[in-house]
Amino acid sequence: MPAALIETGFITNKSDFQKLTDSSYQKEFAASIASAMDKFMQDHPFDPNEIYPYIDSSTVTTSGGVTTVLPQTTTAVTTEPSPLYFNQTICIDPGHGFRDNGAESTFTDANGKTVLEKNITLAICNYLVAELQNKGYTVVLTRGEDSQTPNAGFSDERLCNITQRINWANEQGYCLYVSIHCNSYTNSSTQGARIYYNSGNNGSINKVLCQDIANELSKLNGKSPSVFNDADLAVATKTIMPAALIETGFITNKSDFQKLTDSSYQKEFAASIASAIDQFMQDHPFDPNEVYPYL
Ligand SMILES: [Zn+2]
Protein backbone atom coordinates (compact mmCIF):
# COMPACT_ATOMS: atom_id res chain seq x y z
CA MET A 1 0.00 0.00 0.00
CA PRO A 2 1.14 3.62 -0.23
CA ALA A 3 3.35 4.33 2.75
CA ALA A 4 5.40 7.04 4.40
CA LEU A 5 7.57 7.31 7.48
CA ILE A 6 7.56 10.68 9.26
CA GLU A 7 10.38 11.74 11.53
CA THR A 8 8.61 14.32 13.66
CA GLY A 9 11.76 16.20 14.69
CA PHE A 10 15.01 15.85 16.60
CA ILE A 11 14.64 15.17 20.32
CA THR A 12 18.32 16.04 20.56
CA ASN A 13 17.44 19.62 19.51
CA LYS A 14 16.12 21.96 22.23
CA SER A 15 13.46 23.61 20.09
CA ASP A 16 12.21 20.33 18.54
CA PHE A 17 12.29 18.68 21.97
CA GLN A 18 10.12 21.36 23.55
CA LYS A 19 7.58 21.09 20.74
CA LEU A 20 7.53 17.28 20.63
CA THR A 21 6.96 16.95 24.38
CA ASP A 22 4.15 19.52 24.34
CA SER A 23 0.74 17.87 24.03
CA SER A 24 -0.73 20.91 22.20
CA TYR A 25 1.97 20.65 19.56
CA GLN A 26 1.55 16.86 19.39
CA LYS A 27 -2.15 17.44 18.71
CA GLU A 28 -1.45 20.08 16.05
CA PHE A 29 1.14 17.84 14.43
CA ALA A 30 -1.33 14.95 14.36
CA ALA A 31 -4.00 17.23 12.88
CA SER A 32 -1.63 18.24 10.08
CA ILE A 33 -0.87 14.63 9.21
CA ALA A 34 -4.58 13.77 9.34
CA SER A 35 -5.36 16.62 6.91
CA ALA A 36 -2.68 15.42 4.53
CA MET A 37 -3.94 11.82 4.68
CA ASP A 38 -7.50 13.00 4.13
CA LYS A 39 -6.41 14.94 1.04
CA PHE A 40 -4.48 11.96 -0.28
CA MET A 41 -7.42 9.57 0.22
CA GLN A 42 -9.77 11.98 -1.52
CA ASP A 43 -7.37 12.38 -4.43
CA HIS A 44 -6.88 8.57 -4.65
CA PRO A 45 -10.19 6.96 -3.72
CA PHE A 46 -10.11 3.27 -2.91
CA ASP A 47 -12.34 0.98 -4.98
CA PRO A 48 -12.53 -2.64 -3.71
CA ASN A 49 -13.87 -3.80 -7.09
CA GLU A 50 -10.71 -2.80 -8.86
CA ILE A 51 -7.11 -3.75 -8.53
CA TYR A 52 -5.63 -1.35 -6.06
CA PRO A 53 -4.64 1.40 -8.49
CA TYR A 54 -1.18 2.01 -7.07
CA ILE A 55 0.00 -1.42 -8.18
CA ASP A 56 1.25 -0.87 -11.73
CA SER A 57 1.45 -4.48 -12.79
CA SER A 58 -0.89 -7.42 -12.33
CA THR A 59 2.16 -9.69 -11.98
CA VAL A 60 3.38 -9.60 -8.43
CA THR A 61 6.27 -11.75 -7.28
CA THR A 62 6.20 -12.65 -3.64
CA SER A 63 8.47 -14.85 -1.63
CA GLY A 64 7.41 -17.70 0.55
CA GLY A 65 5.68 -20.00 -1.92
CA VAL A 66 2.34 -18.59 -0.81
CA THR A 67 -0.50 -17.64 -3.13
CA THR A 68 -1.15 -13.97 -2.60
CA VAL A 69 -4.67 -12.73 -3.30
CA LEU A 70 -4.67 -9.17 -4.53
CA PRO A 71 -7.85 -7.11 -4.28
CA GLN A 72 -10.68 -8.86 -6.19
CA THR A 73 -9.21 -9.66 -9.57
CA THR A 74 -5.62 -10.83 -9.39
CA THR A 75 -3.72 -13.67 -7.75
CA ALA A 76 0.00 -14.21 -7.71
CA VAL A 77 2.05 -17.33 -7.05
CA THR A 78 5.74 -17.25 -6.32
CA THR A 79 8.20 -18.67 -8.81
CA GLU A 80 11.10 -18.32 -6.38
CA PRO A 81 11.77 -21.13 -3.93
CA SER A 82 10.40 -20.48 -0.50
CA PRO A 83 12.91 -18.84 1.81
CA LEU A 84 11.99 -21.51 4.33
CA TYR A 85 13.79 -24.00 2.08
CA PHE A 86 17.34 -22.86 2.32
CA ASN A 87 20.09 -23.56 -0.12
CA GLN A 88 23.23 -24.96 1.36
CA THR A 89 25.44 -21.94 0.83
CA ILE A 90 27.30 -20.25 3.63
CA CYS A 91 27.34 -16.45 3.57
CA ILE A 92 30.43 -14.73 4.98
CA ASP A 93 30.29 -10.99 5.64
CA PRO A 94 33.58 -9.07 5.84
CA GLY A 95 32.38 -6.19 8.03
CA HIS A 96 32.30 -2.69 6.47
CA GLY A 97 33.89 -1.85 3.11
CA PHE A 98 34.08 0.83 0.45
CA ARG A 99 33.64 4.26 2.03
CA ASP A 100 32.79 2.63 5.36
CA ASN A 101 36.21 1.99 6.90
CA GLY A 102 34.93 0.61 10.20
CA ALA A 103 37.25 1.05 13.16
CA GLU A 104 40.70 2.57 12.68
CA SER A 105 43.78 1.39 14.55
CA THR A 106 45.58 3.66 16.98
CA PHE A 107 48.81 1.94 15.93
CA THR A 108 50.51 2.03 12.55
CA ASP A 109 51.67 -0.87 10.42
CA ALA A 110 55.21 -1.50 9.12
CA ASN A 111 54.66 1.20 6.48
CA GLY A 112 53.62 3.75 9.10
CA LYS A 113 49.99 3.60 8.06
CA THR A 114 46.81 3.39 10.10
CA VAL A 115 45.08 0.04 9.60
CA LEU A 116 41.39 -0.01 8.75
CA GLU A 117 38.94 -2.60 10.07
CA LYS A 118 37.48 -3.17 6.59
CA ASN A 119 40.83 -4.41 5.28
CA ILE A 120 41.49 -6.80 8.17
CA THR A 121 37.99 -8.28 7.95
CA LEU A 122 38.33 -8.82 4.20
CA ALA A 123 41.73 -10.52 4.58
CA ILE A 124 40.41 -12.91 7.26
CA CYS A 125 37.25 -13.63 5.26
CA ASN A 126 39.20 -14.44 2.10
CA TYR A 127 41.17 -17.02 4.11
CA LEU A 128 37.92 -18.26 5.64
CA VAL A 129 36.32 -18.78 2.22
CA ALA A 130 39.34 -20.82 1.07
CA GLU A 131 39.25 -22.95 4.24
CA LEU A 132 35.53 -23.67 3.87
CA GLN A 133 35.85 -24.44 0.17
CA ASN A 134 38.61 -26.92 1.02
CA LYS A 135 36.12 -28.63 3.32
CA GLY A 136 33.64 -28.85 0.44
CA TYR A 137 31.29 -26.00 1.28
CA THR A 138 29.81 -23.49 -1.14
CA VAL A 139 30.50 -20.01 0.15
CA VAL A 140 29.60 -16.47 -0.89
CA LEU A 141 30.92 -13.13 0.38
CA THR A 142 28.73 -10.08 0.87
CA ARG A 143 31.52 -8.02 -0.68
CA GLY A 144 34.82 -8.46 -2.46
CA GLU A 145 37.81 -6.14 -2.78
CA ASP A 146 36.97 -2.47 -2.38
CA SER A 147 38.08 -1.82 -5.96
CA GLN A 148 36.17 -4.73 -7.49
CA THR A 149 32.72 -4.79 -8.94
CA PRO A 150 30.51 -5.71 -6.01
CA ASN A 151 29.15 -9.22 -5.67
CA ALA A 152 25.51 -9.97 -6.33
CA GLY A 153 24.87 -6.75 -8.22
CA PHE A 154 25.04 -4.65 -5.09
CA SER A 155 25.21 -0.93 -5.47
CA ASP A 156 27.86 0.84 -3.47
CA GLU A 157 25.17 2.11 -1.12
CA ARG A 158 23.84 -1.36 -0.52
CA LEU A 159 27.27 -2.72 0.25
CA CYS A 160 27.76 -0.11 2.95
CA ASN A 161 24.51 -0.99 4.64
CA ILE A 162 24.46 -3.87 7.11
CA THR A 163 20.68 -4.31 6.90
CA GLN A 164 20.75 -4.51 3.11
CA ARG A 165 23.41 -7.20 3.26
CA ILE A 166 21.31 -9.24 5.66
CA ASN A 167 18.13 -8.74 3.63
CA TRP A 168 19.98 -9.98 0.57
CA ALA A 169 21.28 -13.08 2.40
CA ASN A 170 17.75 -13.77 3.70
CA GLU A 171 16.30 -13.45 0.19
CA GLN A 172 18.92 -15.82 -1.19
CA GLY A 173 18.08 -18.36 1.50
CA TYR A 174 21.66 -18.94 2.60
CA CYS A 175 21.92 -21.47 5.39
CA LEU A 176 24.41 -19.69 7.66
CA TYR A 177 25.56 -16.08 8.12
CA VAL A 178 28.83 -15.16 9.80
CA SER A 179 29.94 -11.54 10.00
CA ILE A 180 33.55 -10.69 10.87
CA HIS A 181 34.57 -7.43 12.56
CA CYS A 182 37.34 -5.80 14.61
CA ASN A 183 36.67 -3.98 17.85
CA SER A 184 38.06 -0.66 19.07
CA TYR A 185 37.92 1.04 22.45
CA THR A 186 39.26 4.13 24.16
CA ASN A 187 40.99 1.97 26.78
CA SER A 188 43.93 0.34 25.02
CA SER A 189 44.16 -2.46 27.58
CA THR A 190 40.80 -3.92 26.48
CA GLN A 191 41.51 -6.91 24.26
CA GLY A 192 40.34 -10.27 22.96
CA ALA A 193 37.81 -11.75 20.60
CA ARG A 194 34.10 -11.54 21.35
CA ILE A 195 31.17 -13.35 19.79
CA TYR A 196 27.62 -12.07 19.55
CA TYR A 197 24.30 -13.77 18.92
CA ASN A 198 20.65 -13.04 19.55
CA SER A 199 18.52 -15.27 21.74
CA GLY A 200 15.20 -14.15 20.31
CA ASN A 201 15.68 -15.23 16.71
CA ASN A 202 16.68 -18.91 16.31
CA GLY A 203 18.22 -18.13 19.67
CA SER A 204 19.18 -21.55 20.94
CA ILE A 205 20.76 -22.60 17.64
CA ASN A 206 22.61 -19.28 17.32
CA LYS A 207 24.06 -19.86 20.74
CA VAL A 208 25.26 -23.33 19.73
CA LEU A 209 26.97 -21.83 16.67
CA CYS A 210 28.67 -19.18 18.82
CA GLN A 211 29.77 -21.77 21.35
CA ASP A 212 31.31 -23.89 18.58
CA ILE A 213 33.23 -20.80 17.44
CA ALA A 214 34.28 -19.99 21.01
CA ASN A 215 35.58 -23.54 21.47
CA GLU A 216 37.78 -23.33 18.39
CA LEU A 217 39.06 -19.83 19.25
CA SER A 218 39.95 -20.95 22.75
CA LYS A 219 42.20 -23.62 21.20
CA LEU A 220 43.81 -20.92 19.06
CA ASN A 221 44.32 -18.29 21.78
CA GLY A 222 44.45 -20.42 24.92
CA LYS A 223 41.55 -18.39 26.25
CA SER A 224 37.85 -18.67 25.50
CA PRO A 225 36.32 -15.53 23.99
CA SER A 226 33.25 -14.04 25.67
CA VAL A 227 29.94 -14.94 24.06
CA PHE A 228 27.25 -12.25 24.33
CA ASN A 229 23.51 -12.30 23.76
CA ASP A 230 22.89 -8.93 22.08
CA ALA A 231 19.28 -7.98 21.53
CA ASP A 232 20.03 -4.98 19.31
CA LEU A 233 22.64 -6.28 16.91
CA ALA A 234 21.35 -6.30 13.32
CA VAL A 235 23.35 -9.38 12.38
CA ALA A 236 21.85 -11.23 15.31
CA THR A 237 18.26 -10.07 15.05
CA LYS A 238 17.46 -9.65 11.34
CA THR A 239 18.91 -12.86 9.96
CA ILE A 240 16.47 -15.72 9.43
CA MET A 241 19.24 -18.33 9.31
CA PRO A 242 21.64 -19.23 12.15
CA ALA A 243 24.03 -16.30 12.49
CA ALA A 244 26.96 -15.03 14.49
CA LEU A 245 28.98 -11.85 14.61
CA ILE A 246 32.63 -12.32 15.49
CA GLU A 247 34.67 -9.43 16.83
CA THR A 248 38.15 -10.74 16.10
CA GLY A 249 39.89 -8.51 18.64
CA PHE A 250 40.65 -4.87 19.49
CA ILE A 251 42.80 -2.99 16.98
CA THR A 252 43.23 -0.37 19.69
CA ASN A 253 45.14 -2.94 21.80
CA LYS A 254 48.80 -3.46 20.89
CA SER A 255 48.83 -7.24 21.22
CA ASP A 256 45.55 -7.77 19.33
CA PHE A 257 46.68 -5.28 16.67
CA GLN A 258 49.90 -7.17 16.05
CA LYS A 259 48.06 -10.47 15.69
CA LEU A 260 45.24 -9.13 13.53
CA THR A 261 47.65 -7.48 11.08
CA ASP A 262 49.79 -10.65 10.81
CA SER A 263 48.73 -12.77 7.83
CA SER A 264 49.75 -16.01 9.59
CA TYR A 265 47.43 -15.24 12.49
CA GLN A 266 44.66 -14.12 10.12
CA LYS A 267 44.92 -17.50 8.42
CA GLU A 268 44.93 -19.42 11.71
CA PHE A 269 41.95 -17.39 12.90
CA ALA A 270 40.08 -18.19 9.68
CA ALA A 271 40.95 -21.89 10.01
CA SER A 272 39.50 -21.92 13.54
CA ILE A 273 36.25 -20.34 12.35
CA ALA A 274 36.07 -22.80 9.45
CA SER A 275 36.50 -25.74 11.85
CA ALA A 276 33.72 -24.38 14.06
CA ILE A 277 31.38 -23.91 11.09
CA ASP A 278 32.20 -27.43 9.88
CA GLN A 279 31.43 -28.82 13.34
CA PHE A 280 28.15 -26.92 13.44
CA MET A 281 27.11 -28.04 9.96
CA GLN A 282 27.87 -31.67 10.78
CA ASP A 283 25.86 -31.48 14.00
CA HIS A 284 22.96 -29.79 12.17
CA PRO A 285 22.83 -31.32 8.70
CA PHE A 286 20.96 -29.48 6.02
CA ASP A 287 18.00 -31.25 4.42
CA PRO A 288 16.57 -29.43 1.39
CA ASN A 289 13.41 -31.56 1.55
CA GLU A 290 12.48 -30.29 4.96
CA VAL A 291 11.80 -26.92 6.40
CA TYR A 292 15.06 -25.71 7.84
CA PRO A 293 15.00 -27.41 11.24
CA TYR A 294 16.32 -24.40 13.11
CA LEU A 295 13.12 -22.45 12.66
ZN1 LIG B 1 32.74 -3.46 12.63
Side-chain angles (χ1 to χ4, degrees):
M1 70 295 283
L5 184 148
I6 304 166
E7 294 281 5
T8 55
F10 286 78
I11 56 174
T12 44
N13 170 272
K14 186 76 178 176
S15 164
D16 280 7
F17 174 79
Q18 282 169 340
K19 289 198 282 186
L20 290 169
T21 53
D22 171 4
S23 61
S24 308
Y25 180 81
Q26 291 172 349
K27 205 168 173 181
E28 283 169 13
F29 193 96
S32 298
I33 306 303
S35 295
M37 288 169 69
D38 184 38
K39 175 169 191 326
F40 178 84
M41 294 301 279
Q42 284 183 35
D43 291 345
H44 305 86
F46 174 77
D47 180 350
N49 294 315
E50 300 208 359
I51 295 176
Y52 206 47
Y54 315 139
I55 297 173
D56 308 324
S57 165
S58 58
T59 307
V60 177
T61 304
T62 65
S63 59
V66 179
T67 300
T68 302
V69 181
L70 294 174
Q72 292 296 319
T73 55
T74 306
T75 60
V77 180
T78 57
T79 52
E80 301 291 319
S82 162
L84 292 180
Y85 296 80
F86 288 77
N87 71 66
Q88 192 166 17
T89 299
I90 293 168
C91 185
I92 301 296
D93 174 40
H96 311 279
F98 296 83
R99 64 176 177 275
D100 174 10
N101 292 335
E104 299 186 11
S105 71
T106 45
F107 308 101
T108 52
D109 64 12
N111 302 317
K113 292 210 165 118
T114 300
V115 179
L116 306 176
E117 177 184 0
K118 68 174 181 179
N119 294 327
I120 296 176
T121 61
L122 185 60
I124 292 173
C125 286
N126 280 330
Y127 288 128
L128 178 54
V129 169
E131 294 281 349
L132 287 168
Q133 285 173 340
N134 283 342
K135 293 179 188 296
Y137 293 100
T138 305
V139 191
V140 294
L141 284 172
T142 56
R143 70 174 175 101
E145 296 287 346
D146 275 10
S147 58
Q148 281 180 348
T149 304
N151 288 349
F154 281 4
S155 68
D156 182 70
E157 185 57 41
R158 200 171 182 192
L159 272 156
C160 293
N161 184 316
I162 208 166
T163 306
Q164 296 284 5
R165 290 185 191 186
I166 292 165
N167 288 346
W168 169 75
N170 286 343
E171 285 160 17
Q172 299 297 316
Y174 296 139
C175 66
L176 202 67
Y177 191 95
V178 175
S179 188
I180 306 281
H181 289 256
C182 303
N183 241 328
S184 67
Y185 194 55
T186 48
N187 182 343
S188 65
S189 65
T190 303
Q191 63 174 317
R194 298 179 177 196
I195 306 166
Y196 295 85
Y197 72 101
N198 174 254
S199 65
N201 185 19
N202 309 328
S204 56
I205 201 72
N206 287 344
K207 191 173 182 183
V208 171
L209 171 62
C210 288
Q211 234 113 44
D212 284 343
I213 294 167
N215 288 343
E216 288 298 327
L217 288 181
S218 66
K219 289 183 211 165
L220 174 68
N221 290 322
K223 180 172 177 285
S224 188
S226 304
V227 175
F228 295 96
N229 175 11
D230 188 325
D232 297 324
L233 211 64
V235 165
T237 55
K238 294 194 165 69
T239 46
I240 58 176
M241 69 291 281
L245 185 147
I246 303 170
E247 293 282 2
T248 54
F250 284 79
I251 56 174
T252 43
N253 171 267
K254 186 78 180 173
S255 166
D256 280 6
F257 173 79
Q258 283 170 338
K259 290 197 283 184
L260 291 170
T261 52
D262 171 4
S263 59
S264 307
Y265 181 80
Q266 290 172 348
K267 204 169 175 180
E268 284 169 10
F269 194 96
S272 297
I273 306 302
S275 294
I277 289 175
D278 186 37
Q279 179 69 53
F280 178 84
M281 294 299 280
Q282 285 184 37
D283 291 344
H284 305 88
F286 172 80
D287 181 349
N289 295 314
E290 299 206 2
V291 175
Y292 206 47
Y294 316 141
L295 296 178

